[in-house]
Amino acid sequence: MTAHHPQTPQFFLTAPAVCPYLNGQIERKVFTHLVGNRAAELLDVLTQGGFRRSQNIAYRPACERCRACVSVRILVDEFQPSHSMRRVLRTNRDLVGRMGPAVASSEQYSLFRSYLDSRHADGGMAEMSMLDYAMMVEDSQVETRIIQYRQRGPDSSFTTVSDGDLVAVALSDVMADGLSMVYSYYNPSMPHRSLGSLMILDHIERARALGLPYLYLGYWVEGSAKMDYKIRFLPQEHLRPSGWARYEKTGDQTA
């Protein structure tokens, strides 16, 4: 396949497929390839336009009769955790998150499989092998990092922290204006920890420490219960036809 210059990428449209989020809907995506030494620059531009990355593909919804998928980014500098979010942080004080190169491991894959089998057994990723997983993690032309969250080991002390069990993993891109959470998963047998929320809270603080204004969360799908957690992290902006606009949530915002 010919590699095209990132300033003039070629875009393609997928065939219609069943929507994984809304019953009765059909999805299509527009996508392009991220290649060459300017792939990161291209991803920055496309992310501003609502694209997401998967390996060396940037994509966004292009459904004919539905506009429910909305790109979401958190305003890092203004964010303050709610009471319940502070409780999540307290509950997980025994965990340590370490950011490193995007390298796959069998330990990660074992946790990944447990997560899929428990939460997404019928999803499109259900049959992923170890090789597929390694490609998802490592096949990137942009600055990608993996963050592994572990329990503190039994021999940890005030000055040293040893590694305990792996409980959650996040694959994230570092962009010019923010962090973008590409994919995350966690131990499904620990619901009391709210590990999905913990990883978002941790990414907000990491973006703040890096001086980056945004945390990109991907798509919020109005009407899909599995996506509602994303709009609890306020303030945030949504990408509308006129550009990024502040989202004003109605009702209870203390969840």
Side-chain angles (χ1 to χ4, degrees), residues 42-104:
L42 177 58
L43 180 62
D44 285 344
V45 172
L46 292 176
T47 300
Q48 287 286 332
F51 279 72
R52 295 284 288 162
R53 183 185 72 82
S54 177
Q55 295 178 230
N56 291 319
I57 297 292
Y59 68 91
R60 66 165 297 171
C63 306
E64 297 176 0
R65 298 191 303 271
C66 180
R67 296 294 182 269
C69 293
V70 178
S71 294
V72 174
R73 67 185 186 188
I74 297 171
L75 299 172
V76 167
D77 291 337
E78 297 182 49
F79 176 81
Q80 294 294 329
S82 67
H83 176 74
S84 62
M85 292 173 185
R86 290 193 294 271
R87 185 168 61 246
V88 170
L89 292 171
R90 289 194 300 270
T91 299
N92 291 287
R93 283 180 297 187
D94 62 326
L95 300 186
V96 177
R98 292 197 177 97
M99 178 183 282
V103 177

Side-chain angles (χ1 to χ4, degrees), residues 125-177:
M125 304 174 75
E127 301 302 320
M128 285 180 64
S129 66
M130 176 65 198
L131 179 59
D132 296 328
Y133 174 77
M135 291 289 289
M136 181 181 77
V137 171
E138 300 177 4
D139 190 11
S140 172
Q141 296 288 312
V142 302
E143 185 177 354
T144 303
R145 296 289 181 266
I146 199 160
I147 305 174
Q148 302 185 80
Y149 300 85
R150 297 179 179 276
Q151 293 179 297
R152 295 176 185 269
D155 54 345
S156 297
S157 66
F158 286 110
T159 58
T160 61
V161 177
S162 65
D163 287 344
D165 292 338
L166 181 68
V167 299
V169 175
L171 184 69
S172 302
D173 291 338
V174 182
M175 303 190 304
D177 67 348

